[in-house]
Every structure is written in structure tokens, then in C-alpha cells.
């Protein structure tokens, strides 16, 4: 068996060149990948938090890894239902949190390593959430350095992102590049394992477990479609600049601003912020997505 870094390096290279993965499931038989996964999660506080079956990282051994690999090799491995608890949010509401068993966490971390190595090179450069070496600070740095001409930012939030992922859509996205039915069946089993709440089993008809090891990378694979759609369709279609001729309404307000500035009407200049109607030069009706001080070329950016 190849060592873990070699396997992940090959996957990164294939992802970088857009090549498909044909034998991803057989990488789940590599003990070194499990050791690498164990080294990443054993020190986490949640490693000693029991799931529904009470199993924790305590007593981990190579024999345990061999047992998991044996079950995977014969496709007998089944993810256990996660234990659901609720944690408070800043808004005062409660967020559901899934607590998988230790074996499920370990297998989930191996899945995360493989998927992250392959898909990470393909993600948008404007995506910063749940990515290695990226986060809130890198997103703010990009805004401060690269978007200095932007005047307005619009913040949005995807409600219940992890819990709303459509299983069939997610698996179809994965199937486009992952030509390995055994690996896809393993992922389906993980997504549909269900959860225990008050010791009563409930089906998971959509979403990935909040607290699941592989949930962040799965959500990024899902939302990468949104990133690509915004970058390739919405931004070229609706971003205004020197390439597109400004609408008559924009020219009218801009000329009024110039006249006010020429006559020294400071009050009118300072109050000269308008919402420019999206008519003429831009497909569609209604208000434009860009709000800009009059007299400045509108700029816009997108990212998450």
C-alpha cells in the first residue's frame, strides 16, 4: 500500500487536472490513511464524546483499524445512527448537533481526506469556508486588499445549510467525477444512517449531520455549483462597468450629480446616493444589484 501522503498527492493532481476518480473505494483499505486520519482527530475534544453506541477513541489499536478495513472490503461496514443533542445559538435558538460513534468518525475522516484532496484544487478562489488555510481572516483580507473600490456589501446566510442538502443532488454531483459505485454507496449509507433523539430512531431524508466529520467538505462540494454559477453567469450578466453602456437612468442621475458639483452644491453632492434602475444595457427589469455613490463607477464582488 502507498503511504497516505502519496495517495492524497495523486488525488490532488487528478483534481487539479479535472481527471475522474475510478478507484476511490479501494483507498479505504489503506491502513496508513486510517493512521493519518487518527492523528488528525484523536486529540479533538469530541474524540472522547460517546455516540449512540458509547464507543470513544479510548482503546484504539491497529487491530481495530484492521477490523474496520475488513468490514469495508466486504462492504459490510454500516454507519450507526448519530446521537442528536441540541446546543444554543447566539440568537437564543437551538442548533441540532450529531454525535457519531468513534468508528464512524474515523471512517468519516478518511472520506473527508480523500474528497478534500481531490476537490480542493477545483473550488473557487473566492470560497473561504471550511477550507484548509482559509477562513474568516483570509476572506476579510481579500476584501480589504482586492475590493477597495467596492462601496456596498450584502451579507446573506443559508438557513440550515447542512440539514438542507438534497441527497440525490449531492450524490449526482459526486458521481460526475467519482466513477466508483462502491464509494458512492458508502456515502449514501452515511447520509441516510438516521439519528437517535430520546433513543428513538429518525430517518435523515436530507442533509448531512451537523457535527459529522465529512459534512463540511460535502457542503462545499454542493455549494461549489452555486459559486461557479455566480462567477460564470450572474457576475458577467449583471456586473456593470466600462464594458457595458450605462442605462439612461444612470446617465441622468450622474449628470445631475455633475451639475450639482459644478455649481458647488455640496449638500446635493453628499446626498447623491441612489439605487440605479436596471433598464437599458442590462438584461431584465427591476432594480440593479449594485448600489453606488453617484459619480463613481459601480463595482461588485461575490464570495462566501
Amino acid at each position: 500500500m502507498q503511504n497516505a501522503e502519496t495517495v492524497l498527492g495523486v488525488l490532488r493532481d487528478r483534481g487539479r487536472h479535472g481527471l475522474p476518480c475510478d478507484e476511490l473505494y479501494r483507498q479505504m483499505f489503506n491502513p496508513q490513511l486510517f493512521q493519518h486520519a487518527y492523528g488528525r482527530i484523536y486529540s479533538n475534544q469530541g474524540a472522547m464524546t460517546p455516540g449512540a453506541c458509547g464507543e470513544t477513541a479510548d482503546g484504539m489499536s491497529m487491530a481495530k483499524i484492521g477490523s474496520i478495513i475488513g468490514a469495508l472490503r466486504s462492504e459490510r461496514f454500516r454507519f450507526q445512527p448519530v446521537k442528536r443533542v441540541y446546543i444554543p445559538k447566539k440568537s437564543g435558538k437551538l442548533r441540532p448537533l450529531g454525535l457519531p460513534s468513534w468508528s464512524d468518525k474515523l471512517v468519516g475522516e478518511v472520506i473527508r481526506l480523500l474528497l478534500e484532496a481531490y476537490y480542493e484544487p477545483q473550488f473557487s478562489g473566492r470560497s473561504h469556508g471550511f477550507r484548509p488555510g482559509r477562513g474568516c481572516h483570509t476572506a476579510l483580507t481579500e476584501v480589504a486588499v482586492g475590493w477597495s473600490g467596492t462601496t456596498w456589501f450584502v451579507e446573506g446566510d443559508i438557513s440550515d445549510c447542512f440539514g438542507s442538502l438534497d441527497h440525490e443532488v449531492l450524490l449526482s454531483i459526486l458521481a460526475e467525477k467519482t466513477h466508483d459505485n462502491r464509494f458512492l454507496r458508502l456515502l449514501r449509507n452515511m447520509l441516510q444512517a438516521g439519528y437517535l433523539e430520546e433513543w428513538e430512531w429518525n430517518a435523515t431524508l436530507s442533509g448531512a449531520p451537523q457535527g459529522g466529520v465529512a459534512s463540511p467538505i460535502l457542503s462545499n462540494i454542493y455549494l461549489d455549483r452555486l459559486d461557479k454559477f455566480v462567477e460564470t453567469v450572474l457576475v458577467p450578466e449583471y456586473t456593470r462597468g466600462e464594458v457595458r453602456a450605462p442605462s439612461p437612468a444612470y446617465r441622468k442621475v450622474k449628470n445631475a450629480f455633475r451639475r450639482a458639483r459644478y455649481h458647488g452644491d455640496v449638500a446635493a453632492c453628499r446626498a447623491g446616493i441612489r439605487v440605479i434602475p436596471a433598464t437599458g444595457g442590462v438584461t431584465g427589469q427591476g432594480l440593479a444589484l449594485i448600489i453606488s455613490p453617484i459619480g463613481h463607477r459601480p463595482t461588485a464582488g461575490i464570495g462566501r
Side-chain angles (χ1 to χ4, degrees):
M1 284 287 183
Q2 295 175 315
N3 63 52
E5 287 302 329
T6 301
V7 172
L8 299 179
V10 170
L11 286 175
R12 290 189 194 99
D13 189 60
R14 294 187 71 84
R16 195 174 294 111
H17 292 90
L19 300 174
C21 293
D22 299 322
E23 297 182 346
L24 204 56
Y25 188 77
R26 68 188 301 269
Q27 304 303 330
M28 303 291 297
F29 310 154
N30 191 333
Q32 293 195 31
L33 266 177
F34 279 85
Q35 293 178 48
H36 186 63
Y38 173 77
R40 292 179 62 92
I41 65 175
Y42 83 95
S43 61
N44 294 348
Q45 186 176 2
M48 295 303 295
T49 303
C53 65
E55 184 187 22
T56 65
D58 192 24
M60 186 63 190
S61 65
M62 288 302 298
K64 179 70 173 178
I65 291 177
S67 175
I68 294 173
I69 291 177
L72 287 167
R73 194 183 297 272
S74 59
E75 295 191 57
R76 290 183 292 105
F77 183 86
R78 294 293 181 269
F79 284 89
Q80 300 296 316
V82 300
K83 179 182 177 182
R84 174 167 287 189
V85 297
Y86 290 88
I87 56 176
K89 298 172 64 174
K90 292 181 179 179
S91 62
K93 297 181 180 179
L94 295 176
R95 171 183 289 133
L97 181 66
L99 301 177
S101 68
W102 168 251
S103 294
D104 291 356
K105 288 178 185 177
L106 192 61
V107 175
E109 176 64 14
V110 174
I111 291 174
R112 188 197 66 79
L113 287 171
L114 295 173
L115 291 177
E116 183 177 89
Y118 180 71
Y119 281 98
E120 177 64 26
Q122 305 176 49
F123 288 154
S124 168
R126 295 183 176 90
S127 172
H128 295 265
F130 300 115
R131 296 184 61 187
R134 289 171 176 255
C136 294
H137 290 91
T138 57
L140 291 173
T141 300
E142 181 177 339
V143 168
V145 175
W147 295 3
S148 58
T150 305
T151 306
W152 291 86
F153 292 88
V154 178
E155 180 185 4
D157 185 21
I158 300 176
S159 176
D160 189 26
C161 177
F162 285 0
S164 301
L165 302 179
D166 187 297
H167 291 168
E168 297 305 322
V169 172
L170 176 59
L171 290 170
S172 66
I173 293 173
L174 289 165
E176 291 179 4
K177 296 291 184 69
T178 305
H179 302 164
D180 189 331
N181 288 331
R182 292 191 297 172
F183 188 77
L184 295 176
R185 282 198 296 270
L186 181 66
L187 286 177
R188 183 183 291 275
N189 175 251
M190 179 180 67
L191 292 171
Q192 298 180 350
Y195 64 92
L196 291 179
E197 187 172 359
E198 300 295 335
W199 298 108
E200 181 178 347
W201 183 83
N202 297 270
T204 47
L205 303 178
S206 65
Q210 185 90 27
V213 179
S215 296
I217 182 64
L218 292 175
S219 70
N220 273 345
I221 293 171
Y222 197 98
L223 291 174
D224 183 61
R225 289 300 181 89
L226 174 61
D227 294 339
K228 298 293 172 51
F229 175 74
V230 170
E231 291 176 352
T232 60
V233 178
L234 293 187
V235 170
E237 184 70 23
Y238 293 103
T239 298
R240 298 185 177 199
E242 296 174 354
V243 176
R244 288 179 175 270
S247 68
Y250 180 86
R251 288 197 299 267
K252 181 179 179 180
V253 178
K254 185 175 181 179
N255 291 336
F257 178 83
R258 286 178 174 173
R259 287 194 298 271
R261 185 169 56 182
Y262 177 79
H263 293 291
D265 192 345
V266 178
C269 291
R270 288 179 177 175
I273 298 178
R274 304 287 188 272
V275 178
I276 309 303
T279 55
V282 177
T283 303
Q285 300 295 324
L287 296 179
L289 299 176
I290 302 165
I291 304 175
S292 171
I294 306 304
H296 291 72
R297 187 174 74 89
T299 56
I302 189 72
R304 61 177 178 88

